[in-house]
Each structure stands twice: as C-alpha cells, then as structure tokens.
Amino acid sequence: MTAPAGAPPLAPTTLDLIGNTPLVRLAGPSAAAGCDIFGKCEFANPGASVKDRAALWIVRDAEARGSLRPGGTIVEGTAGNTGIGLALVANALGYKSVIVMPETQSREKMDTLRALGAELVLVPAAPFSNPGHFVHTSRRLAEETPGAVWANQFDNVANRRAHIESTAPEIWEQMEHRIDGFTCSVGTGGTLAGVGLGLKAFDESVTIALTDPHGAALYSWYAEGELRSEGTSVAEGIGQGRVTANLEGAPIDTQFRISDEEGLEWVARLLQEEGLCTGLSTGINVAGAVALGRQLVAQGKADARVATILCDTGFRYLSSLYNAEWLAAKGLPVFPWLAQ
Ligand code: PMP
C-alpha cells in the first residue's frame, strides 16, 4: 500500500523527525489582524519544542568539528527545552548528556530531564557575575570532563544555522513563496535571527520583527540602540538582556513589546477557540504577529501574510500556566475554566 498523497514521507531515523513541522493558519489571530496569520507548529518536534532543531544542529556541528566523538558527552546549562532537545539527540546518537541547572527550578523540569536519561547537576541560584552561576558551571564542567563539549546555545551560531537551513526554507515553501512578515520572541535569538536571515535571503522585502516580553532589553536596543528593560514577565525561555552572538547581524526591521496579559489572552483563545495548548512564549509570539499584521495592513498591504513560531506544548506548564493558584499568586488573570 502506498501512502496517501500529501502524507509526510517515511522517516529513515528518529532524528529525521526533528523539523519539517506543519504550518497552520490561525483563525482568531487572522481575524484580529485583518490579514492571514500562520503558526509554525514547533510543538510537533519529538521534544515538543523549537529547541530540538538547535540541539541537533549544535551536536552535528560539534561532530563535524571533531570535538564530539563516539561515546562523548554534551554539557549545557539550561533548565528548559534545550536540555530536553539535547538529551533526546544525545540518546539517539549514543552520547551522554549532562544538564546543569539552578536548584530553584521546578520539580517538573528536574523530573523530565531525569526521565530522559540526562545527568542532572544542581547548583545554588547565583547572579551571572558569580562563577558558580549555572552557565559558568556548565562551561567549566565541559572543560574538565574528558570527551565533553559545551553546547553554549547563546553564543554558538550553529543554533541559528538550524533556522537558516531548516525553519526558514520550510516556512518559505509552506507559504508558497508569499510572505510579508515574520516575528518571534528571543531567548538565545537563534530562531529570530536564523529565520530572519533565511527568509531575507529568499525575499529581501519580508519584514522581520522582534516581539519582546516585558523585562527584556532588546525592544529598546532595536528601537533606540540602548539595552534597557522595563517590567517583568513569567514567560519561560524568552527575555534576553544582551546581544548574543546568535543575534549579531540579525535583520530586524521593527519591534513590538508584549505584556504577559496579552500573551495569556492568546494562549487562552488558541486553546478555547482553536484547540491548541501552548506555552506563554507562543501567546506572546501570536500577539506580536497580530501587531505586525495590523501594521502591514495599515501600510497598505491589505492581504498581508505573517508567520510566527508556536514554540512549545502547554503540557509542559500544567503546574504553572494552567494552574489557578499559580496564576493568582503571580497576579495574573486565571483562565475562566480553571477558576471553578
Ligand atoms: N520559547 C520557548 C518556550 C523556549 O524554550 C525558547 C528557547 N529558549 C524560545 C521560545 C526562544 O527561542 P530562541 O532560543 O531560539 O530565541
């Protein structure tokens, strides 16, 4: 029996399941923007987030450089999706993974990484200037461990290459070479810079926008050339205070600043109206895409087409974003269906 036309091709290995994610038109955001808004379904990766791509490219890059050899170890300081992606890629290729994280992180995250087989190293929470900070600890640990490499996701540009070489061409094809704008938020900047550079290489006129949460310093950097943060955000995985190596030379045309409340409103609407359960960075991205769509329409592009990233699954946040007490304790609106 042959596969029906349009079915995804057979994957020769599990690593081939990373990327080639679906792109979906989002009805509510499109209606709100007055033009077409599309979401790249990165929750459909094996590790359920956009970071699987960075993990795979970082590991392949280390292999190509000869710094990662059979039986070697991948070390990273991260509590989140990158650790999950690295642990899965390491398993698939026969490497060990060591993830360093502050002991203040949620039990859920520790349990998840342990469940995947990563070795967890917990360190006390410390400011970045302290040599005991989890990022510095992970670098030292990689240096001291024979056969280990440090993933260094913030400043290792293999991260953004994942998006130049995979995410951007996929979006370009899926949108049938007609795209007017792209926006997303920044953790390392790999996604925004990589998709931005990749799409501009196909069509220089695509508007690339930063969508920044409150508490991050990049909105003011791109607006005024000054790193300055205002407010706070509970969004995980995004909110950057410096220009990482991945962000250097990113072709940013415009920028939006989105509050957690706006992001949460889209998280709620995507779930209730469209049946998509996502994390808060996705809600913030969608709010940014709506803002960009409206701006393009106002500039005379009535049929503008805008894409953004649906970064990870909401199932990762059951004890936070989808928990009434947690939301209330943070002073955030509780989703009506949780309030009973
Ligand atoms: N959303 C989530 C949930 C993430 O974990 C990350 C990665 N830190 C991002 C968005 C941002 O991706 P990037 O690191 O490519 O900027």
Side-chain angles (χ1 to χ4, degrees):
M1 213 167 86
T2 53
L10 186 144
T13 75
T14 50
L15 288 175
D16 294 295
L17 300 175
I18 294 176
N20 276 317
T21 55
L23 186 78
V24 64
R25 182 179 182 275
L26 299 169
S30 298
C35 66
D36 285 327
I37 307 291
F38 299 89
K40 187 78 168 138
C41 299
E42 292 303 292
F43 53 79
N45 283 301
S49 93
V50 64
K51 297 306 298 204
D52 284 13
R53 297 184 192 253
L56 180 58
W57 256 253
I58 285 171
V59 169
R60 289 299 195 202
D61 177 72
E63 289 176 329
R65 289 167 189 275
S67 47
L68 187 59
R69 298 200 188 83
T73 302
I74 303 151
V75 186
E76 183 63 317
T78 162
N81 287 322
T82 304
I84 291 169
L86 284 172
L88 294 176
V89 170
N91 288 354
L93 291 168
Y95 300 117
K96 294 186 275 295
S97 54
V98 177
I99 304 298
V100 185
M101 62 194 259
E103 59 197 7
T104 46
Q105 293 299 304
S106 74
R107 178 71 202 273
E108 262 169 318
K109 285 183 172 171
M110 297 179 190
D111 288 348
T112 302
L113 287 163
R114 280 198 191 103
L116 301 180
E119 183 188 325
L120 266 197
V121 176
L122 298 177
V123 295
F128 193 76
S129 55
N130 184 324
H133 185 273
F134 68 98
V135 170
H136 308 314
T137 307
S138 69
R139 189 193 58 239
R140 266 197 319 276
L141 205 60
E143 285 163 4
E144 291 163 5
T145 307
V149 291
W150 185 42
N152 187 21
Q153 59 168 333
F154 290 93
D155 296 306
N156 179 348
V157 294
N159 170 359
R160 82 175 185 193
R161 251 199 343 267
H163 300 285
I164 295 173
E165 294 172 10
S166 72
T167 323
E170 289 170 29
I171 292 173
W172 179 247
E173 284 309 315
Q174 287 168 315
M175 293 190 66
E176 297 171 331
H177 306 186
R178 290 180 296 123
I179 171 165
D180 301 290
F182 172 82
T183 188
C184 71
S185 50
V186 164
T188 63
T191 312
L192 180 65
V195 175
L197 287 164
L199 287 176
K200 291 266 192 190
F202 290 116
D203 179 355
E204 237 175 70
S205 73
V206 182
T207 299
I208 305 297
L210 160 76
T211 292
D212 224 19
H214 287 218
L218 294 176
Y219 175 88
S220 68
W221 175 256
Y222 289 111
E224 305 148 23
E226 194 192 336
L227 284 168
R228 188 166 38 77
S229 68
E230 272 169 37
T232 57
S233 169
V234 300
E236 293 187 29
I238 60 172
Q240 183 49 258
R242 69 180 175 97
V243 179
T244 62
N246 276 294
L247 277 174
E248 269 167 32
I252 310 301
D253 299 303
T254 187
Q255 55 282 324
F256 303 99
R257 184 184 270 146
I258 302 292
S259 69
D260 283 358
E261 285 79 3
E262 281 173 274
L264 279 170
E265 200 177 312
W266 280 113
V267 168
R269 287 193 58 182
L270 289 179
L271 182 49
Q272 281 210 299
E273 298 170 16
E274 308 200 38
L276 268 189
C277 182
T278 63
L280 181 51
S281 67
T282 294
I284 287 174
N285 280 357
V286 168
V290 170
L292 176 57
R294 284 181 180 152
Q295 189 177 87
L296 292 170
V297 170
Q299 287 168 357
K301 282 207 167 133
D303 55 354
R305 289 155 61 85
V306 172
T308 190
I309 303 289
L310 311 180
C311 311
D312 70 353
T313 173
F315 300 159
R316 199 146 279 162
Y317 307 99
L318 297 184
S319 69
S320 52
L321 214 52
Y322 293 95
N323 180 289
E325 283 113 70
W326 187 91
L327 286 165
K330 299 284 179 196
L332 292 166
V334 174
F335 299 140
W337 64 93
L338 293 179
Q340 301 137 15

